[in-house]
Amino acid sequence: MAAAMALSCGARYRPCSRQLLGPNARGRLVRPAVWGVSAAPASSRPGPGGEVQYCAELLRKRDYEGFLCSLLLPAESRTSAFALRAFNVELAQIKDSITQKTIGLMRMQFWRKAVEDIYCDNPPHQPVAIELWKAIKRHNLTKRWLLKIIDEREKNLDDRAYHNIQELETYADNTHSALLYLTLEMLGVRDIHADHAASHIGKAQGIVTCLRATPYHSKRRKVFLPMDICMLHGVSQEDFIRANQEKNVRDVIYNIASQAHVHLEHARSFSKNVPVKAFPAFLYTVALEDYLYKIQKVDFNIFHPSLHKKSTLLPLYLYIRSWKKKY
């Protein structure tokens, strides 16, 4: 009940009509926050012991769905989840906060060195880094996954579209899935079936994130959607920049959204073999379902205003899914 009260602080949800998203169906199938620099200005740095609050507040502002999911983790893993997701936020915000790639590379190098120093018990005096160090000490987290996230985010600094859906899935697997692997380690789960589920959920999350970011990026004359699917339907980047809502544009979105749904279904196919202890790590599927349902409802018009509204019932449905021990 305490978790439910904590969740009541914010974020409409309905379960996704998944049958409309199958490969042979044509259903009626937010700007995610893109963030700034790694180190906090001196005036906003937390005092001693305030690093947890700093990470939680960063998440609440920049990754609200991740913040809600973290609240529903077991108490012994919650603060570590804040740190891990705050680390991901710090990296994710770099791309859209720079005008020169060189600056982005420097910031990525800061975090790469920070991770190396953390594993030498010498974290930099930065609140997220300090909390990440505590999480690593507490749960013996694998360094390889942290470095893989940095490496993949660094490669993604280039402003270019994904060549194909497989390239987008690779990016998602090396970032979102890697974050889930680390979350499983925090929960004390090391299981091949859980890892397979995490891989598919991470890919679904990466695809949905790319879709959600499209209106934001289009206003800045940037399009990152897979080029092969756009070409298949005769859609150009200029169509998205002009917010074209023609059928062929909606068909591109339908194909990409359907791929995210397929990954969610694959992840659930492992549920009978996944330890129940791992289920809290996969609560983000509720938010993914919510977006897929909403984009179905507007017939895949990615620019529809309803897609930008916060789901006010999402906290409740997250709590119910957690209580039912399902993902």
Side-chain angles (χ1 to χ4, degrees):
M1 185 60 67
M5 292 177 65
L7 282 171
S8 66
C9 60
R12 188 169 28 103
Y13 169 84
R14 295 184 210 172
C16 178
S17 301
R18 296 192 298 273
Q19 70 274 14
L20 297 181
L21 278 163
N24 298 318
R26 175 62 164 94
R28 302 207 179 271
L29 243 128
V30 256
R31 164 186 175 183
V34 210
W35 311 289
V37 198
S38 49
S43 60
S44 66
R45 287 176 191 161
E51 292 87 3
V52 174
Q53 290 78 5
Y54 178 90
C55 292
E57 185 64 12
L58 180 63
L59 271 190
R60 190 184 67 80
K61 290 179 178 179
R62 306 298 189 183
D63 180 14
Y64 184 64
E65 292 160 349
F67 172 70
L68 294 177
C69 292
S70 297
L71 288 176
L72 288 170
L73 292 176
E76 62 272 15
S77 302
R78 201 171 299 146
T79 58
S80 298
F82 287 157
L84 188 60
R85 287 192 173 274
F87 165 75
N88 186 58
V89 166
E90 291 281 5
L91 296 175
Q93 72 185 350
I94 292 174
K95 182 174 180 176
D96 274 26
S97 68
I98 59 171
T99 55
Q100 296 180 347
K101 183 179 177 181
T102 304
I103 303 298
L105 293 173
M106 290 170 62
R107 293 179 185 171
M108 290 295 181
Q109 183 56 32
F110 166 83
W111 281 106
R112 187 176 287 107
K113 185 177 186 303
V115 169
E116 295 291 350
D117 290 344
I118 284 170
Y119 277 88
C120 294
D121 287 333
N122 185 33
H125 295 292
Q126 200 272 1
V128 175
I130 291 171
E131 274 306 298
L132 185 61
W133 170 63
K134 294 176 185 176
I136 288 167
K137 296 283 284 185
R138 196 178 295 130
H139 304 287
N140 192 28
L141 301 180
T142 302
K143 181 169 72 170
R144 174 167 59 96
W145 296 124
L146 295 168
L147 293 176
K148 187 178 283 288
I149 295 172
I150 296 171
D151 291 344
E152 197 66 30
R153 294 279 189 191
E154 183 176 86
K155 287 190 288 185
N156 195 245
L157 287 176
D158 293 316
D159 280 337
R160 65 169 185 83
Y162 298 100
H163 287 107
N164 49 52
I165 192 71
Q166 290 77 22
E167 188 175 27
L168 172 55
E169 289 173 337
T170 297
Y171 170 76
D173 196 33
N174 289 330
T175 52
H176 298 288
S177 298
L179 201 65
L180 289 175
Y181 300 147
L182 289 162
T183 305
L184 289 172
E185 290 184 354
M186 287 191 307
L187 295 173
V189 176
R190 296 178 187 266
D191 177 85
I192 188 66
H193 300 292
D195 287 347
H196 284 154
S199 177
H200 285 291
I201 293 170
K203 290 174 182 175
Q205 185 177 347
I207 293 170
V208 168
T209 299
C210 186
L211 289 172
R212 293 174 73 174
T214 296
Y216 168 73
H217 287 136
S218 296
K219 290 178 181 178
R220 288 149 184 81
R221 303 191 63 82
K222 298 177 182 179
V223 180
F224 300 108
L225 297 173
M227 290 189 293
D228 63 335
I229 297 179
C230 292
M231 292 172 63
L232 179 66
H233 295 282
V235 175
S236 67
Q237 292 191 348
E238 195 66 26
D239 287 317
F240 287 100
I241 292 170
R242 294 177 180 175
N244 190 329
Q245 299 170 25
E246 296 299 318
K247 181 180 180 299
N248 60 338
V249 174
R250 289 184 282 115
D251 285 343
V252 169
I253 303 305
Y254 166 74
N255 280 11
I256 297 172
S258 293
Q259 189 64 20
H261 171 74
V262 167
H263 281 298
L264 285 180
E265 290 301 291
H266 283 164
R268 291 193 175 102
S269 71
F270 298 104
S271 61
K272 291 183 179 179
N273 297 313
V274 171
V276 174
K277 192 177 180 181
F279 284 16
F282 301 152
L283 285 173
Y284 210 99
T285 55
V286 178
L288 302 180
E289 284 178 349
D290 181 47
Y291 182 81
L292 292 176
Y293 170 79
K294 288 192 295 187
I295 205 166
Q296 277 183 308
K297 192 174 180 181
V298 298
D299 197 17
F300 308 98
N301 175 8
I302 197 144
F303 301 103
H304 197 280
S306 66
L307 298 178
H308 300 268
K309 296 178 182 178
K310 184 177 290 187
S311 298
T312 56
L313 290 180
L314 181 61
L316 173 62
Y317 280 88
L318 279 166
Y319 180 74
I320 291 173
R321 188 70 63 88
S322 173
W323 177 70
K324 288 183 176 180
K325 293 182 168 52
K326 291 183 178 180
Y327 67 85

